[in-house]
Each structure stands twice: as C-alpha cells, then as structure tokens.
Amino acid sequence: MSPWHCVLVIYLILITSSSAVDAITKPSSSSSSYLSLANQFLAPHNAARTAVGMRRLVWDSKLAHYAEWYANQRRRDCALKHSNGQYGENIFWGSGSGWTPAQAVAAWVSERRWYDYGSNSCAYGQECGHYTQIVWGSTRRVGCARVNCYGGRGVFITCNYDPPGNYIGERPY
C-alpha cells in the first residue's frame, strides 16, 4: 500500500467513526477534543498535500471571510455555482444537514483516483480538479465556510485558495 493510501485509509476511518466525527464537530468541556472550524478544514487538506510532498496550507481569515460571504449567497438555493472570484475555489453540496468540513474535503480528495500525473489529466468522463486545487504546489493559503441552506435544501461548503491553481497545461506538483 502506498503512503498516500495509508493516509487516506486512516483519515477515512477517523471521519467515519462516530466518536471521531463527534470530537471534530461538537464542542465539549475538554478543549483538547474539539478542533476549531479552521482545523476541521485544514487537517484533511494538509494530509492530502503531505501525501504528495507539498507544503502545508495555512488558514487565511481574508479567504475565510470571502468563503463565508459566498456561502451565504448560496444559502437560499444551495446551487453548485462557483463565485468566479479571484481565488481558486472548491464547492460542495450534500443533502441533509449533517455534512462536516472533513467529509467535503474527503470528497474532493477522493478525486485523486481519477488524476493521472503522467498525462496531467483526469480519466475520461471524470473530475479531478478539486483534488488538483488542493495539492497545487504554489497554493499557500486557504479559507472555507459551511452553511445549512434554507428550507432543508442541504449543506453548502466552499473553500478558497490563494494563489489559485488549476492552470491549463501545468502540473499541480
């Protein structure tokens, strides 16, 4: 098993364990069992980057404010539409209300299976741009937000990246 698969397997075990999800998403009297919202996003991003030898991302409050502003725009319809701003951007939608930051990032990272580094392309008919944005070598900062959409329409999550990635013809790392 490659180091990447080990990281992903361990991470998926953690996020699917109900006690781990509770520790990540629910504040408790013990501050050591609660991760900040920023760390709920950062930990899976940085696990994916570490697996391919990329520098860790840092949380950026300016990007987080932008993500929060845009997530609030999507709160009414929960539509999977990009903001078309100046940053790289990943968006996620899930039905219901229980989706965590870690689950959204895990969904994006799971696209790795469709990315072929040799040809610098996705498998035919598949998406891998969320994954390549996460591991883009020149990206240094991330900020994200999560909202429950009105009328039970689900959860909308967005992360913004600076500098952005996914330039045509360039490899992510």
Side-chain angles (χ1 to χ4, degrees), residues 113-133:
R113 68 181 176 253
W114 307 119
Y115 178 67
D116 177 61
Y117 187 83
S119 65
N120 191 32
S121 63
C122 301
Y124 180 76
Q126 301 297 327
E127 288 189 36
C128 60
H130 300 101
Y131 167 72
T132 55
Q133 175 58 82

Side-chain angles (χ1 to χ4, degrees), residues 91-107:
I91 56 176
F92 171 91
W93 172 83
S95 65
S97 62
W99 293 95
T100 67
Q103 290 169 317
V105 179

Side-chain angles (χ1 to χ4, degrees), residues 7-20:
V7 169
L8 185 59
V9 167
I10 291 168
Y11 187 71
L12 289 174
I13 290 168
L14 285 173
I15 67 167
T16 57
S17 158
S18 63
S19 61

Side-chain angles (χ1 to χ4, degrees), residues 11-132:
Y11 187 71
L12 289 174
I13 290 168
L14 285 173
I15 67 167
T16 57
S17 158
S18 63
S19 61
V21 171
D22 288 350
I24 290 171
T25 61
K26 296 179 183 173
S28 70
S29 58
S30 168
S31 61
S32 66
S33 67
Y34 176 72
L35 296 176
S36 71
L37 181 65
N39 283 333
Q40 291 178 51
F41 283 108
L42 273 174
H45 273 88
N46 286 329
R49 291 178 65 85
T50 298
V52 294
M54 292 296 97
R55 196 165 112 180
R56 297 171 64 83
L57 296 177
V58 296
W59 188 257
D60 185 285
S61 60
K62 180 180 173 183
L63 292 171
H65 288 303
Y66 179 85
E68 184 177 0
W69 168 81
Y70 186 65
N72 282 321
Q73 304 305 304
R74 296 275 57 95
R75 187 172 276 204
R76 285 187 175 81
D77 61 10
C78 230
L80 277 174
K81 295 180 183 177
H82 283 281
S83 69
N84 299 314
Q86 65 184 7
Y87 306 115
E89 184 173 70
N90 282 343
I91 56 176
F92 171 91
W93 172 83
S95 65
S97 62
W99 293 95
T100 67
Q103 290 169 317
V105 179
W108 297 328
V109 170
S110 75
E111 293 177 1
R112 181 185 187 276
R113 68 181 176 253
W114 307 119
Y115 178 67
D116 177 61
Y117 187 83
S119 65
N120 191 32
S121 63
C122 301
Y124 180 76
Q126 301 297 327
E127 288 189 36
C128 60
H130 300 101
Y131 167 72
T132 55

